[in-house]
């Protein structure tokens, strides 16, 4: 039996983490969102977020585009033994630290298929602080649904339930930020405008 969200530990890989932040940095005045890809551990006590697919920076709340993207994402990753396991959101305003209705609704939608799915929300205060402090903690808040299906903050500072898989992830992220690597990120909005642009971002870390 899978662990419930109440006791599940969450871990995000370096590449998934960096992809999420770079997508947000590419569109600093828009809300952006991504789908989290991964699997539950064999011991059923942790969820590893192994990859991320940038979704939208223009149509974050439109259900038809979301449904199409989820079908394509699921088809691709299920062949690799991975699942859609959660949702990422960055708010339009950098001073907005609340989990809004759009994020909750999409999170609820994903939970219909994967009940343990979390939502990661970018914390812009931590993103700004990271450039000065070289902190090793994730610059995101993690939310999970409680027994009443309400979204609750699991943690906003580093603890044992939410961590970066590679401790050096923030240092690598800072290198990518300094080289403006966010310009290379492709999301589904970009793909819908030009189908030659690959939403899998295969060359991002080359």
């Amino acid at each position: 039996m899978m662990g419930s969200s109440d006791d599940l530990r969450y871990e995000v890989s370096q590449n998934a983490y960096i992809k999420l932040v770079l997508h947000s940095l590419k569109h600093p005045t828009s809300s952006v969102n991504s789908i989290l890809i991964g699997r539950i551990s064999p011991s059923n006590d942790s969820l590893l977020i192994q990859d991320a697919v940038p979704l939208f920076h223009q149509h974050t709340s439109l259900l038809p585009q979301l449904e199409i993207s989820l079908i394509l994402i699921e088809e691709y990753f299920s062949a690799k033994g991975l699942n859609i396991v959660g949702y990422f959101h960055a708010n339009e305003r950098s001073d907005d630290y609340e989990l809004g209705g759009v994020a909750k609704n999409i999170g609820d939608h994903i939970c219909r298929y994967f009940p343990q799915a979390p939502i990661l929300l970018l914390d812009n205060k931590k993103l700004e602080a990271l450039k000065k402090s070289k902190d090793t903690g994730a610059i995101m808040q993690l939310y999970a649904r409680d027994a009443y299906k309400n979204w609750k903050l699991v943690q906003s500072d580093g603890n044992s339930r939410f961590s970066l898989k590679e401790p050096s992830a923030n240092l690598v992220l800072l290198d990518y930020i300094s080289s403006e690597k966010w310009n290379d990120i492709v999301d589904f909005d970009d793909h819908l405008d030009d189908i030659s642009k690959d939403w899998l971002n295969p060359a991002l870390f080359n």
Side-chain angles (χ1 to χ4, degrees):
M1 181 178 174
M2 287 187 183
S4 71
S5 297
D6 291 337
D7 53 17
L8 206 61
R9 290 183 292 108
Y10 304 87
E11 196 173 51
V12 57
S13 75
Q14 178 172 289
N15 284 2
Y17 176 70
I18 289 173
K19 201 182 290 187
L20 295 170
V21 179
L22 291 182
H23 185 215
S24 306
L25 291 171
K26 185 175 181 179
H27 306 285
T29 60
S30 304
S31 59
V32 304
N33 56 7
S34 300
I35 292 297
L36 308 179
I37 306 296
R39 57 163 63 99
I40 293 280
S41 67
S43 56
N44 290 330
D45 62 354
S46 64
L47 174 62
L48 174 59
I49 299 163
Q50 295 177 250
D51 204 348
V53 178
L55 283 181
F56 307 116
H57 61 274
Q58 295 174 324
H59 306 117
T60 53
S61 61
L62 295 182
L63 192 58
Q65 282 91 333
L66 175 66
E67 290 285 7
I68 292 168
S69 63
L70 289 177
I71 290 169
L72 292 173
I73 293 166
E74 182 67 34
E75 284 181 353
Y76 179 84
F77 284 101
S78 62
K80 298 178 174 294
L82 297 171
N83 301 301
I84 293 174
V85 297
Y87 175 73
F88 168 84
H89 195 91
N91 288 324
E92 179 178 359
R93 297 196 338 266
S94 61
D95 61 348
D96 182 359
Y97 308 108
E98 299 297 319
L99 188 66
V102 169
K104 290 177 182 178
N105 288 341
I106 297 176
D108 287 339
H109 185 75
I110 293 172
C111 281
R112 289 165 54 190
Y113 307 97
F114 191 84
Q116 296 86 359
I119 295 177
L120 296 180
L121 180 68
L122 183 69
D123 189 324
N124 282 292
K125 281 188 292 190
K126 289 187 175 180
L127 176 58
E128 287 303 312
L130 176 65
K131 299 171 185 176
K132 304 167 187 172
S133 68
K134 307 294 193 292
D135 193 3
T136 58
I139 55 171
M140 298 170 185
Q141 300 175 0
L142 186 142
Y143 292 79
R145 291 207 306 185
D146 62 18
Y148 302 99
K149 298 185 178 181
N150 296 315
W151 289 99
K152 299 294 184 183
L153 183 65
V154 173
Q155 65 89 39
S156 58
D157 296 308
N159 70 15
S160 59
R161 287 196 61 195
F162 179 43
S163 61
L164 298 172
K165 187 172 187 294
E166 294 88 355
S168 61
N170 277 334
L171 292 176
V172 178
L173 172 62
L174 287 170
D175 285 341
Y176 280 127
I177 291 174
S178 65
S179 61
E180 300 186 357
K181 188 73 171 176
W182 62 74
N183 289 311
D184 298 335
I185 280 280
V186 173
D187 64 14
F188 261 92
D189 271 332
D190 299 321
H191 176 72
L192 293 172
D193 288 339
D194 179 355
I195 60 171
S196 70
K197 295 183 177 181
D198 192 341
W199 52 268
L200 289 167
N201 290 279
L204 184 64
F205 298 107
N206 293 345

